Amino acid sequence: MPVIETRALKKYYGKNRGIESVDLSIEEGEIFGFIGPNGAGKSTTIRTLLGFIRATGGEARIMGQPCTDKNLSKLKRRIGYLPAEAGYYPGMKVRELLNYSAKYYGASAKSRINMLTQYFELDTNRPINALSSGNRKKVSIVQCLLHDPELLILDEPTGGLDPLMQAKFFALLLEEHKRGKTIFFSSHILSEMQKLCQRVAIIRDGVIISVESMASLKDNRYKKVRVVVREGAAPVALRLGGAKDCRPEGAHVSFLYSGGVKELIRELDRLDVENFWVEEPDLEEVFMHFYRKEGAENEPLPSGN
Amino acid sequence: MNLYLQEIRQNLRSLAIWSVCIVGLFAFSMAMFPTFSLNPKMLNDLMKSFPKELLDAFGISSADFSKPLDYMAYMFQYILIAVGAQSILLGSSIVSREEADGTIEFLYAKPVTRTYIMTSKLLAGLTLMAMLNAVFLGASLGVLNIVSTGVDTGTVALLCLTMLLVQLMFFSAGLIVSMLPRRARRFTSVSLGILFATYFLGIMSSVSESLGGLRYVSPLKYFDPPQVVHTGALEPVYLVIVAVFVIGSVAGSYALYRRRDLSV
């Protein structure tokens, strides 16, 4: 049974599209990533799942149960939610907030709170509103973990954290993963996705356009090629099937190439290049390919001839 | 219990400030009473020189300011405005503030239903209003005992009961206003606007016979303090209006809150 499941989930704010039709299926014990451009519908999906907003259509289930107010109130005992930006009550100290939070889950989570606050080097005696944004993020992280939830839903989780804390946070998430927890992780930052996620859903314009496994994405389908032609030569017209995202910059041309090596060498020879580089692409460049609208893929190079 | 206690704790400071101001206002105005009680004839002659409509507008027409309770009843009208303001502001912010402050993401991630949130906050609001009321009751009895003798505790208690009804009325009004779909920032001005509009409608209803019907839409006049002091009773029709409005607003608020898209 999938831990999170949505079918044709739809949310319109009046006439404005939040999400059009989102289909997700996240299995227990997975680390599942969720990525997409601004306005694609990532936050809308998460908020609909957790009951902050009502779906206009489709259905959503967590641990097999429909996401109604009543069901969610019970399910939330086992869910830890890390919001992108959380506000906190004025005047409260970190410790007060964490203890207050723990009360909602019944058990006194003192030992776990202590362990987590020490792990993240968080001073619990300070008022929350006096903390830097990074430290406030730590408070959010601790409060979403202190009741040892089975499912973690993280929205832009590392915003504001310094690299050391980020690394610590990821180490902790991997530990949780080893203990069998499910992690649903929405982010813009591809390197994070790369480090943690096993599968990634790419959302654009309110629809999931692809669900890929991280292994297959890293699987060097594309090579990044950069080429320098001789000074004074006519602008380059690249005739190469399997080349995409061609970017000419004066004498430099770069493109992504997924075809055969022999064809590439032949074309480089024909172009009479002075220099060339072949690299594995950034995951970022692979994703940009998904982000871009349909039809822009095989744009011809502006040619001078 | 968690949310209920937290809500009370959060509002305690504001309530304390309001209490001090309201009690202070009352004490200050009652401090002038001894002057009036010593010169009743001069005061009453002065009153007679004003046009009747003006006296009606201020609710003084049948007052005898040499009697402590009459005097208090007059002052009490203004206390009611202050208390009404506190209540409507409390009602309009107690639920909506979580969204305005951004704390709703913290709260609603907890294993609670919307009904639980609403109930906890309503009970907290009720407790806070009862606290203000009790403080005023105690303080007013104290002040009255200082400035006069032989205070009728029963009538003072009755006035405080009318205060509670006014509080409930305005709290519910603020609550239902905050459930309407609009930005939280405007609730304060809308709430105070409602309060003062009803106050002025109330004045108009006492000035003119033909506008008497306006009394139905001015909660501050439902249990007109000078009248309550004279008759020692509350008019049943207004008790019904309060009950119907409060129950209706609360029920409506529950329903609206359950369906609401929480804005983050």
Side-chain angles (χ1 to χ4, degrees), chain B residues 26-61:
Chain B
F26 179 72
F28 181 74
S29 53
M30 289 310 285
M32 296 193 282
F33 173 70
T35 323
F36 290 113
S37 69
L38 290 173
N39 296 304
K41 189 169 186 316
M42 182 185 79
L43 184 64
N44 288 330
D45 289 341
L46 185 68
M47 290 299 173
K48 287 200 187 85
S49 69
F50 287 116
K52 185 177 185 303
E53 286 74 23
L54 190 65
L55 296 178
D56 282 340
F58 285 102
I60 313 177
S61 49

Side-chain angles (χ1 to χ4, degrees), chain A residues 151 204 207 213:
Chain A
L151 168 63
R204 195 180 71 198
V207 181
S213 79

